[in-house]
C-alpha cells in the first residue's frame, strides 16, 4: 500500500518552478533513492515532503494515516550541530519532541523508545557520552536513533554519509538496509551516490528539474537516465 503519492507535482519559488511534473509513489517497505546533480530539485522535494513547501501545482498525498510530523528526518549535519554539548541520550530523546505539545516533557514511553532505538543501532553504551566527543560515524548513529523516535514507518535521509570515512559509510548503508529489511522501516534517501543507490534501494527517482526516471532499481541502468549516467554525462 502507498504511503505517499505524487501526482503532477510542481515545486518552486517566486513563481518559478524548480521541479516539474513529478509522478511517483512510495509504498510501505520501499527503499527509494532520490538522485540527481546539484540544483536538480532534491532539496526542494525534501522540503515538500516535510511540509515546509507547498506544491505550486499537482498534489502530494500522504496515505494510511501518515502525517508529515511523523516522518523521521536525518538532515545533513552542520559544523555547529557536530559540536552540540549534550549527552547521547538527551539528543536521541529529542526525536520525540515533534509529537508533543510541550517540549522537554517526555513520557515513560518516550524514554523507552529512545533506549530501544539506541539498542537497535548499537549505541547503548554511549548513552552518557557527550555527543560532541563522538566520531562522525557514531554521531550519525545517534542522529539516526533520534530520527527513529519520530516515526513508526518512514525515514527521510539527506546525504546521510557525507563526511564519513569509507568504513563508517558502509556501516551506515548496512544499518539502513537492515532497518528497511528487518524492521520494516520505509526509507527515502537523497543521495549523490548512484552506485550505493543501485546496491541498496528497491526504487529510484532521478531528477534533473523534471523527472528523468522513476521505477524499480533493477530497471534503472536500461533506462535513458541510466544510460546517461553510464556514459559519464551525469555525475549525480
Amino acid at each position: 500500500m502507498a504511503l505517499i503519492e505524487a501526482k503532477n507535482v510542481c515545486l518552486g519559488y517566486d513563481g518559478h518552478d524548480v521541479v516539474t511534473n513529478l509522478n511517483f509513489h512510495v509504498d510501505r517497505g520501499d527503499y527509494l533513492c532520490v538522485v540527481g546533480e546539484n540544483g536538480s530539485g532534491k532539496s526542494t522535494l525534501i522540503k515538500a515532503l516535510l511540509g515546509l513547501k507547498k506544491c505550486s501545482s499537482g498534489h502530494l498525498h500522504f496515505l494510511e494515516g501518515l502525517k508529515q510530523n511523523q516522518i523521521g528526518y536525518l538532515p545533513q549535519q552542520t559544523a555547529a550541530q557536530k559540536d552540540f554539548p549534550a549527552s547521547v541520550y538527551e539528543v536521541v530523546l529529542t526525536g520525540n519532541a515533534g509529537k508533543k505539545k510541550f517540549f522537554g516533557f517526555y513520557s515513560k514511553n518516550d524514554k523507552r523508545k529512545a533506549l530501544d532505538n539506541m539498542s537497535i543501532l548499537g549505541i547503548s553504551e554511549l548513552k552518557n557520552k557527550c555527543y560532541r566527543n563522538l566520531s562522525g560515524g557514531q554521531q550519525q548513529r545517534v542522529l539516526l536513533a533520534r530520527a527513529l523516535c519520530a516515526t513508526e514507518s518512514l525515514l527521510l535521509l539527506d546525504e546521510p554519509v557525507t563526511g564519513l570515512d569509507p568504513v563508517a559509510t558502509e556501516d551506515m548503508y548496512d544499518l539502513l538496509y537492515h532497518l528497511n529489511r528487518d524492521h520494516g522501516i520505509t526509507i527515502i534517501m537523497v543521495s549523490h551516490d548512484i552506485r550505493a543507490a543501485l546496491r541498496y534501494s528497491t526504487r529510484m527517482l532521478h531528477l534533473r528539474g523534471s523527472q528523468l526516471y522513476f521505477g524499480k532499481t533493477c530497471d534503472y541502468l536500461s533506462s535513458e537516465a541510466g544510460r546517461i549516467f553510464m556514459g559519464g554525462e551525469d555525475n549525480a
Side-chain angles (χ1 to χ4, degrees), residues 215-233:
K216 293 181 179 180
T217 301
C218 60
D219 297 328
Y220 172 73
L221 288 180
S222 61
S223 70
E224 181 180 357
R227 289 193 296 272
I228 290 172
F229 167 67
M230 292 302 291
E233 296 176 28

Side-chain angles (χ1 to χ4, degrees), residues 73-209:
Y73 177 46
L74 179 61
Q76 292 189 49
Q77 277 202 85
T78 65
Q81 289 169 330
K82 291 180 181 181
D83 199 39
F84 193 63
S87 74
V88 165
Y89 178 63
E90 289 170 332
V91 172
V92 174
L93 194 57
T94 61
N96 296 287
K99 300 175 289 185
K100 307 184 76 62
K101 293 182 179 179
F102 301 103
F103 180 77
F105 293 89
Y106 297 107
S107 67
K108 290 182 179 179
N109 184 62
D110 294 334
K111 295 174 182 178
R112 186 186 71 251
K113 190 171 185 179
L115 293 173
D116 287 348
N117 287 327
M118 290 166 64
S119 177
I120 289 171
L121 296 180
I123 54 173
S124 296
E125 74 280 2
L126 301 177
K127 176 183 176 182
N128 297 316
K129 298 288 187 181
C130 183
Y131 175 80
R132 75 199 312 179
N133 295 331
L134 302 181
S135 69
Q138 289 173 328
Q139 286 187 342
Q140 283 298 79
R141 281 184 179 239
V142 172
L143 295 180
L144 187 56
R146 180 183 184 274
L148 282 172
C149 285
T151 188
E152 300 290 340
S153 57
L154 177 63
L155 283 173
L156 174 59
L157 308 120
D158 185 6
E159 303 285 359
V161 301
T162 298
L164 299 184
D165 63 43
V167 173
T169 293
E170 285 303 310
D171 180 60
M172 177 57 64
Y173 283 141
D174 285 343
L175 279 174
L176 295 174
Y177 174 75
H178 288 296
L179 285 173
N180 175 250
R181 188 187 68 175
D182 300 333
H183 296 273
I185 301 295
T186 303
I187 290 175
I188 302 174
M189 182 173 73
V190 175
S191 178
H192 279 87
D193 190 348
I194 288 186
R195 290 177 178 82
L198 290 170
R199 180 178 175 185
Y200 292 103
S201 68
T202 58
R203 297 181 193 270
M204 291 181 65
L205 174 63
H206 193 140
L207 300 179
R208 188 185 280 168

